[in-house]
Amino acid sequence: MSSNATVPDATVGPTFAQVFGPVFWGFCVSLILGGVSALQGYLYFTRYNDKLPVRLVAAMMLTLDFLSVALICQSMYYYMLPHFGSFAPLNHVTSELNIECLISAVITFTSQMYFVYQLYMVKSPGMTASVMKALVIVFGTVGLAGAVGCVAMMFKYPHSIFMNRNHVFAILAGIAKGFGAAADIVATIAMCMFLSKADTGIRRTSSMLKSLMHLVINRGILVTVAQILLLVTFFATSGHLYWLAVHINTTKLYVNTFFGMLNARTSLQERYATGHMSISGDTTAYSQRLAAAANSQMAAREKLGELGPQDYAMGAIRVTTSSTVADI
């Protein structure tokens, strides 16, 4: 411990426990969320056989999440144990924490771009749909650029991050979190709009779409609130480390909501499937079975002369909607 480092009196400034306490409890929550991520990943890889690119993205997200936990553990050790009672470590940000911030930026951007992929799979026509998808991409990219800029400033000015914060670093952090929140808000609104347009008036289909919208809204609220809370604590409580406690959990929320939306397909399909077919493995094959069953039923009714124009429309929407559930 440095001979010049002293613990400030409680009447003069915050104590060691007051400064590092929120980070410690945030770290505890992140460990719990990390365990949830591991469980979500296990359920996904044992239940689904999606296309290779989707599985690769899922594997990357899970790997980066585990690496993030390891880096956070190392940083917690450095700041709290070897220099216990001293604020001297706050004069320098570790390389491990810098790398963790970069991983957080990659996870956030990947989750947002996968949501864009989901928006694309809904295939909602019109200029509004294209504009909203473009906005999510632009906002997410600007947020990623701001986050990468933050990491660069952390490597270049490691002594001006926690104490005597660098102004450029603060501006870049504001850009990263602000545009990240904007991307999540637009993506959530866009998905709800696209799904509401797919409503056919059929009770089963409407119920399924409502469940999808609830899932999307819950995901959007979680990650958006996390980004906004991080932005507020970063600027409003610059003398404390509340923002760091929020930061290490924001990454976990993106990973958990990513796998949560992937794993929710089973419960949705089982709840709204017309038959009692077992659902496991490749969800695309399941969608094809649903489409084949619907088309066979329509063909049989067509031979009997029982189909009207509205039945063709309903059948087409049913097939498309079933595919949407599988892809989302």
Side-chain angles (χ1 to χ4, degrees), residues 46-122:
T46 55
R47 290 184 178 182
Y48 294 94
N49 187 27
D50 287 330
K51 297 178 181 178
L52 181 60
V54 177
R55 292 174 64 83
L56 289 176
V57 171
M60 183 194 73
M61 293 281 279
L62 199 59
T63 301
L64 290 178
D65 188 51
F66 289 157
L67 183 57
S68 172
V69 171
L71 293 172
I72 291 172
C73 289
Q74 171 59 29
S75 299
M76 287 291 296
Y77 170 82
Y78 173 80
Y79 286 112
M80 298 189 67
L81 294 183
H83 305 278
F84 180 77
S86 173
F87 290 95
L90 292 180
N91 292 321
H92 177 80
V93 61
T94 64
S95 299
E96 291 82 3
L97 193 57
N98 293 345
I99 297 173
E100 193 281 328
C101 289
L102 181 60
I103 290 175
S104 176
V106 173
I107 288 177
T108 300
F109 181 75
T110 302
S111 178
Q112 291 170 340
M113 292 305 104
Y114 184 76
F115 211 85
V116 173
Y117 167 75
Q118 292 175 322
L119 291 174
Y120 171 77
M121 294 306 296
V122 176

Side-chain angles (χ1 to χ4, degrees), residues 170-239:
I171 293 173
L172 290 173
I175 292 175
K177 305 311 173 187
F179 278 92
D184 292 320
I185 292 172
V186 174
T188 302
I189 295 174
M191 181 63 82
C192 291
M193 288 177 56
F194 298 169
L195 291 177
S196 64
K197 290 180 180 179
D199 195 347
T200 63
I202 303 172
R203 185 174 63 179
R204 184 183 298 274
T205 304
S206 299
S207 299
M208 180 186 63
L209 291 173
K210 288 180 181 178
S211 296
L212 274 174
M213 283 190 283
H214 290 160
L215 183 64
V216 169
I217 291 172
N218 289 335
R219 181 263 180 196
I221 290 176
L222 276 175
V223 295
T224 301
V225 168
Q227 290 279 28
I228 294 176
L229 183 60
L230 179 54
L231 189 64
V232 171
T233 53
F234 183 82
F235 288 103
T237 60
S238 57

Side-chain angles (χ1 to χ4, degrees), residues 150-190:
C150 286
V151 174
M153 296 301 295
M154 292 169 72
F155 275 108
K156 187 174 182 180
Y157 303 104
H159 301 287
S160 303
I161 302 301
F162 294 131
M163 311 296 289
N164 302 318
R165 183 183 295 168
N166 184 281
H167 292 296
V168 177
F169 167 75
I171 293 173
L172 290 173
I175 292 175
K177 305 311 173 187
F179 278 92
D184 292 320
I185 292 172
V186 174
T188 302
I189 295 174

